Amino acid sequence: MASLSPVRTVSTESNRNNVSVKSNPSVGTPQRFSLPPKSSVAADSGQRFKISALKVFYGPKEVLHGININISSNVVTAIIGPSGCGKSTLLRSLNRMTETVRRARMEGEVLLDGENIMNMDVVRLRRRVGMVFQRPNPFPKSIFDNVAYGLRINGHKGSLAAAVEHSLRRAALWDEVKDQLHKSAYALSGGQQQRLCIARALAVDPEVLLLDEPCSALDPVTTAKIEELLFQLKPSCTIVIVTHNMQQAARASDSTAFLLEGRLIEYQPTPKLFTTPSDPRTEAYITGRFG
Amino acid sequence: MQAPTNVIERATLWHGPRAFFRRLRTGDEVAHIITLIFAAVVVGITALLVYQLWIQSVLSRQKFGWAFFFTHVWDPLAGQFGALPFLYGTLVTAAIGLCLAVPLGLGTAIFLSEFSPPRVSDSLAFLVDLLAAVPSVIYGLLGIFIMVPWLRTTVEPALKSTLGFLPLFQGPTYGVGFLAAGLILAVMVVPFIVSVSREVLIAVPREQREAALALGATRWETIWKAVVPFAKSGIIGSVFLALARALGETMAVTMVIGNDPKVSASLFAPGYSIAAVIANEFTEATGNLYLSALIELGLVLFVLTFVLNGLARLLVLATTTRGAAHE
Amino acid sequence: MSLRTYWRKFFNAFMFGLTALFAAATVSVLFVILGYLVYHGGQNINWNFFTKLPTPVGERGGGMANAVVGSAKLLLIALLLGVPIGVLTGVYLAEFGGKTTSFFIRYTTDLLNGVPSIVIGIFAYTIVVLPMRHFSTLAGGFALGVMMIPITVRSTEQFLKAVPNPLREGAMALGASKWKTTLTVVVPAAGSGIITGIMLALARVAGETAPLLFTAFSNRYWSAGWNEPIASLPVMIYTYAIGPYADWHEQAWSAGLVLLALVLMVNVGTRLVLARKVSVSR
């Protein structure tokens, strides 16, 4: 079975972020994982991403209007907002996946550890910044070959088997699949496939992991496992997660950014954004008045 | 630190000659160029084909000009080459083939798309597709040994005795001839009409059927008055496709048409088609003019099928991209 | 019910019956063909057919070994010509091509697809036979290869496009460049479809006679190397069928049965493989 601590539900008073989301019947009670309380949010171990005046166009349409945001290292940053607000576009611009769309155009500056990503070799960028997608998309290959894919194309030196095992352990999947590494990835359940995709992304040892609504196609138990996973990865990896599930943002992230219609409305440490948001639109969104 | 305005397009984000070599290193440009070269080879082969047909027929084109199409004399020994018998034969056999194949094919398609349950429809459609895969020479084999004797002993005498007052059904009944070739073409092109028509009929939106049924129409009336007219252009497209196939059919036709370069009114008479004469006489063509005339016939065949195929594709496209808005 | 309504209902039932009859007639042709081939050709399919050369006219006991091998050699050349060009062009159209270039190439491919096979034979004659001044296996293989190209292009493009985009994105997000993604993820994912497309193309050209008539010509003996005229199953069927000897006719039936059996097996087989693939994948 997975090597995670069992999930326990607790009362609203104590939870990891000390957040009690403003009472509203539709929001519900966040859950807590039985782990030692994390360190303070404003862990300024550095700014991983410095984004200035970022604009993204799909053809003539301007989808992001001048975003300015700094993503801190080794924390979980959540991006929330209603459908169509540009959160996925913002995420995808961080590893230049917007380029896969034919008529996409980026303007502005995105610095990864001080280096402009536009001038970087895109292959190198995508090794440092990995991505997990909304629906699990394992390749039609074996479990082993899926995890080893990134290693092989980037020229891994040393034992593939060891690296694959390491990644699968980090993704909390090793115990479930260690005896069937040569089976097709499609034989796994949806939640396992998503964790396999996380393992695949982790295999090349990225500094940043971008997740685009990774749990939207999964059940609550699997979702909890993955959130636990992110918590464990945090010390070694900067995590940016797009989610339309506010409770998830509230439980699992250290900072949260709220986007609306392609603009960054508010960006705060998570407890503050969910208890005392500065902008009335943020408050309207998190209390469920729209979205 | 860079200036804050960087503009990139698609996956090619740098411009200029230095950038070209940088892109080259990533391998994407190389792959693009290599596959483009192979794609260009296809275009090159096609262009070369048209060119060769044109160039190699120059002797005949210059000697006979447009009269080539109206002369009915084909006398290799005398150096006289006229295409009329072959044009006539090609068109007559294709016409007979279509007259028989269109009702049969359309009827089958209607049954498969409208009347029969989906599973039956799919299995039968599969069998019809297999028919389309049968080689021409095998149709010819059955034509020579089964169909021609049957025509000679049963069908043609019957037609002669009942409809013999028409010039179409007069003359000696050899079995081989225009009728035989037309029949075998009919059998060969039916699968094409069926598969394309079935697809366009299935693509007709169900609202059309429902509107007619709601007005109290019977199944057949719905089909004939609502569904088929909607799919009209696609069905006509399938007929053009079938016609293009029929024009180019070589082996089965040459095995049953009688191979006689004459224009005759009677369907019982032996005749010739463009493809058949090329098949039979190409290796025996002595002299450049003879060969050139045959190649000119090939050019004619190419142009005919090219035009028909082009029209067919346009028509089929017009039907399948049609939305709910009709007329 | 009025008389008119009776008539309408009757006509409806009548047309149902008529179209059903048409459908039955169309489908039955396949079984008629198979039936006659098995009846007339089945008796002569024996070891001799596959191992002996044609005997002089009048002598019994000949076979079509050279034609079987000949067809195989011709198909080999057709493969070598048709597959690389066809598959790579398909890759271009599906992965790399810009809008106008792709349209133009697709249009040309469709054009080539519609050219009658006898005209392709003329083309091969002018390109290969005339310079070489004699018939050859190369010329025949060239003609068949040219015919294979458009079929392969179409099916390759179709199967490549059917590979879902998330797979491409997953690979690119791991740092794979476009060509690496295509080579290591997309093409393998479409692999079985592309192979079935190639097999169907092979089955199609294996039955073609017209383009071989004045390129590969024919041969009553073994054909050595690639420069000599060569026998092939379809041409032998044609030659024997129109010949005057009963023995030849019997052999034509048998050869026809062999040819049709091969063609049908490939068509049915690939259809089954594709159906199974669709139901197994996600």
Side-chain angles (χ1 to χ4, degrees):
Chain A
M1 282 302 296
S3 57
L4 293 172
S5 329
V7 171
R8 289 193 211 115
T9 46
V10 291
S11 60
T12 15
E13 272 87 294
S14 59
N15 54 53
R16 187 200 293 140
N17 284 323
N18 288 318
V19 172
S20 55
V21 181
K22 277 205 170 173
S23 83
N24 180 303
S26 64
V27 171
T29 309
Q31 293 177 328
R32 192 198 80 172
F33 303 97
S34 62
L35 286 165
K38 52 125 195 69
S39 48
S40 131
V41 166
D44 253 305
S45 33
Q47 305 292 305
R48 185 68 72 176
F49 277 108
K50 280 203 176 79
I51 300 164
S52 335
L54 175 64
K55 292 188 188 180
V56 175
F57 298 82
Y58 285 140
K61 188 170 173 223
E62 189 173 345
V63 176
L64 287 182
H65 310 283
I67 307 276
N68 296 297
I69 186 173
N70 293 339
I71 312 257
S72 312
S73 306
N74 297 13
V75 297
V76 177
T77 304
I79 306 178
I80 61 173
S83 293
C85 67
K87 16 186 229 297
S88 283
T89 309
L90 174 58
L91 194 77
R92 286 165 149 252
S93 59
L94 296 181
N95 66 347
R96 283 168 54 188
M97 283 298 281
T98 41
E99 287 170 20
T100 59
V101 176
R102 284 222 152 180
R103 306 202 13 245
R105 218 172 79 235
M106 275 167 72
E107 280 178 17
E109 186 180 76
V110 178
L111 300 179
L112 172 66
D113 288 341
E115 235 185 303
N116 192 328
I117 65 171
M118 315 287 205
N119 298 336
M120 228 186 265
D121 174 23
V122 72
V123 170
R124 215 181 114 238
L125 172 66
R126 290 180 185 154
R127 263 197 68 182
R128 297 174 62 187
V129 181
M131 184 171 245
V132 174
F133 298 83
Q134 196 166 349
R135 297 207 126 57
N137 57 353
F139 303 132
K141 299 176 194 278
S142 68
I143 295 172
F144 185 90
D145 286 333
N146 263 278
V147 181
Y149 182 80
L151 297 166
R152 283 193 176 116
I153 59 166
N154 283 305
H156 177 77
K157 295 176 185 52
S159 162
L160 271 180
V164 168
E165 179 180 338
H166 180 63
S167 294
L168 285 169
R169 282 189 189 280
R170 281 178 87 191
L173 191 59
W174 174 251
D175 287 324
E176 288 167 61
V177 301
K178 63 184 177 210
D179 299 321
Q180 34 175 344
L181 289 178
H182 296 287
K183 282 227 183 112
S184 163
Y186 292 163
L188 297 175
S189 73
Q192 288 173 318
Q193 286 186 13
Q194 192 63 305
R195 278 181 285 147
L196 177 64
C197 291
I198 295 177
R200 184 177 68 185
L202 291 175
V204 292
D205 210 10
E207 299 155 38
V208 180
L209 192 60
L210 307 173
L211 300 109
D212 191 350
E213 301 196 39
C215 302
S216 63
L218 304 176
D219 61 272
V221 173
T222 320
T223 301
K225 283 191 184 159
I226 290 188
E227 288 174 10
E228 174 68 34
L229 188 50
L230 296 182
F231 183 75
Q232 291 179 331
L233 288 173
K234 209 168 40 168
S236 51
C237 198
T238 302
I239 297 185
V240 184
I241 175 170
V242 161
T243 179
H244 66 264
N245 181 337
M246 277 182 291
Q247 298 93 303
Q248 182 172 67
R251 307 186 276 274
S253 69
D254 303 303
S255 312
T256 303
F258 171 60
L259 253 65
L260 182 61
E261 284 164 10
R263 289 187 166 77
L264 175 66
I265 307 295
E266 194 167 337
Y267 177 49
Q268 306 265 25
T270 301
K272 179 156 190 317
L273 188 130
F274 280 100
T275 49
T276 49
S278 326
D279 194 294
R281 289 168 291 182
T282 317
E283 177 168 350
Y285 179 70
I286 62 177
T287 53
R289 262 184 257 139
F290 74 93
Chain B
M1 280 283 214
Q2 291 283 330
T5 40
N6 283 314
V7 180
I8 52 174
E9 301 247 350
R10 281 218 271 168
T12 63
L13 44 91
W14 308 290
H15 305 279
R18 217 186 70 215
F20 175 73
F21 288 107
R22 218 183 305 166
R23 277 181 292 160
L24 213 62
R25 217 158 28 88
T26 68
D28 279 350
E29 277 304 301
V30 174
H32 188 131
I33 292 175
I34 290 180
T35 50
L36 180 58
I37 289 177
F38 277 86
V41 165
V42 178
V43 177
I45 287 180
T46 314
L48 191 59
L49 190 154
V50 180
Y51 174 74
Q52 286 290 341
L53 283 177
W54 184 254
I55 287 288
Q56 300 278 356
S57 59
V58 69
L59 282 176
S60 167
R61 277 185 295 112
Q62 280 175 355
K63 178 135 193 236
F64 302 112
W66 291 107
F68 187 64
F69 300 107
F70 304 108
T71 318
H72 66 86
V73 176
W74 180 267
D75 190 352
L77 292 173
Q80 262 297 102
F81 299 105
L84 192 59
F86 314 109
L87 277 173
Y88 178 77
T90 305
L91 292 172
V92 164
T93 52
I96 298 175
L98 281 184
C99 281
L100 294 168
V102 169
L104 190 62
L106 186 56
T108 305
I110 288 177
F111 179 77
L112 288 183
S113 77
E114 308 294 318
F115 281 128
S116 73
R119 284 186 99 185
V120 172
S121 173
D122 284 340
S123 342
L124 290 183
F126 172 62
L127 290 175
V128 171
D129 283 342
L130 283 186
L131 258 181
V134 173
S136 172
V137 72
I138 305 238
Y139 279 110
L141 200 57
L142 269 103
I144 284 190
F145 294 129
I146 310 293
M147 194 182 73
V148 164
W150 176 59
L151 282 178
R152 184 176 61 240
T153 51
T154 318
V155 177
E156 289 185 357
L159 283 171
K160 194 167 175 184
S161 57
T162 52
L163 297 169
F165 55 90
L166 291 169
L168 279 178
F169 301 110
Q170 289 171 357
T173 59
Y174 298 115
V176 297
F178 293 113
L179 184 62
L183 270 182
I184 214 162
L185 278 181
V187 174
M188 291 179 77
V189 303
V190 157
F192 295 97
I193 297 184
V194 171
S195 64
V196 176
S197 296
R198 175 174 172 263
E199 270 179 38
V200 300
L201 283 171
I202 287 180
V204 172
R206 51 195 344 251
E207 293 82 42
Q208 298 284 323
R209 294 183 183 82
E210 288 174 353
L213 286 172
L215 288 167
T218 61
R219 276 308 273 296
W220 174 255
E221 284 164 355
T222 310
I223 297 169
W224 195 245
K225 299 218 161 75
V227 180
V228 169
F230 192 87
K232 197 171 45 180
S233 10
I235 295 177
I236 297 181
S238 80
V239 173
F240 279 17
L241 271 172
L243 180 57
R245 282 293 301 215
L247 293 182
E249 249 328 306
T250 316
M251 300 319 295
V253 169
T254 187
M255 286 159 98
V256 303
I257 198 171
N259 299 339
D260 192 5
K262 284 207 182 61
V263 173
S264 317
S266 166
L267 293 183
F268 299 157
Y272 230 152
S273 79
I274 298 179
V277 68
I278 299 176
N280 279 325
E281 305 197 357
F282 206 86
T283 50
E284 292 159 12
T286 48
N288 291 331
L289 184 63
Y290 196 171
L291 205 62
S292 173
L294 287 171
I295 296 184
E296 186 178 352
L297 282 174
L299 179 62
V300 169
L301 197 56
F302 172 78
V303 170
L304 279 174
T305 50
F306 171 60
V307 167
L308 279 172
N309 274 316
L311 283 173
R313 242 171 313 115
L314 276 175
L315 287 170
V316 173
L317 205 64
T319 319
T320 48
T321 55
R322 225 151 148 210
H326 163 64
E327 227 80 301
Chain C
M1 265 196 291
S2 70
L3 189 64
R4 178 159 175 77
T5 313
Y6 271 122
W7 165 250
R8 285 169 63 197
K9 283 177 157 259
F10 167 75
F11 195 66
N12 184 54
F14 174 73
M15 289 315 287
F16 173 82
L18 188 65
T19 54
L21 187 67
F22 281 2
T26 308
V27 170
S28 66
V29 172
L30 183 65
F31 297 104
V32 166
I33 295 177
L34 274 173
Y36 273 113
L37 279 175
V38 168
Y39 177 66
H40 280 118
Q43 28 197 327
N44 274 338
I45 303 270
N46 46 32
W47 199 235
N48 276 348
F49 180 86
F50 290 103
T51 52
K52 289 251 170 60
L53 286 176
T55 51
V57 176
E59 276 182 43
R60 302 195 64 87
M64 288 211 186
N66 58 343
V68 174
V69 171
S71 275
K73 282 171 85 167
L74 288 167
L75 287 177
L76 182 63
I77 300 184
L79 245 181
L80 291 174
L81 180 69
V83 168
I85 298 180
V87 170
L88 284 173
T89 306
V91 169
Y92 176 80
L93 287 176
E95 304 292 319
F96 292 104
K99 251 186 155 181
T100 30
T101 328
S102 293
F103 173 77
F104 184 61
I105 293 179
R106 252 182 234 119
Y107 181 79
T108 316
T109 309
D110 281 344
L111 208 176
L112 193 57
N113 196 35
V115 175
S117 59
I118 188 110
V119 175
I120 306 257
I122 297 180
F123 175 53
Y125 179 83
T126 60
I127 296 285
V128 185
V129 178
L130 276 184
M132 284 177 80
R133 296 182 184 284
H134 57 80
F135 303 121
S136 64
T137 315
L138 276 176
F142 176 79
L144 295 183
V146 167
M147 289 189 73
M148 268 189 81
I149 291 176
I151 310 175
T152 317
V153 169
R154 270 237 196 103
S155 72
T156 304
E157 186 193 354
Q158 180 192 334
F159 283 106
L160 284 175
K161 280 196 163 148
V163 174
N165 248 342
L167 286 184
R168 291 184 182 82
E169 291 194 322
M172 295 190 84
L174 286 165
S177 52
K178 177 125 180 118
W179 74 270
K180 253 193 197 157
T181 307
T182 307
L183 190 65
T184 56
V185 173
V186 183
V187 168
S192 56
I194 296 180
I195 292 188
T196 52
I198 294 175
M199 302 222 55
L200 284 171
L202 272 179
R204 163 83 199 277
V205 299
E208 287 289 338
T209 322
L212 298 177
L213 290 174
F214 32 85
T215 49
F217 198 60
S218 193
N219 197 327
R220 294 196 67 75
Y221 307 102
W222 293 111
S223 163
W226 306 98
N227 280 340
E228 295 179 11
I230 194 167
S232 55
L233 264 183
V235 172
M236 287 296 252
I237 297 174
Y238 172 62
T239 315
Y240 276 19
I242 61 176
Y245 313 109
D247 179 44
W248 276 16
H249 296 172
E250 283 171 23
Q251 295 206 31
W253 280 112
S254 307
L257 178 60
V258 170
L259 181 62
L260 187 62
L262 284 172
V263 167
L264 286 184
M265 277 199 295
V266 171
N267 274 283
V268 172
T270 53
R271 200 66 92 90
L272 290 176
V273 165
L274 281 179
R276 209 158 38 92
K277 174 179 181 267
V278 165
S279 61
V280 158
S281 69
R282 266 190 320 147

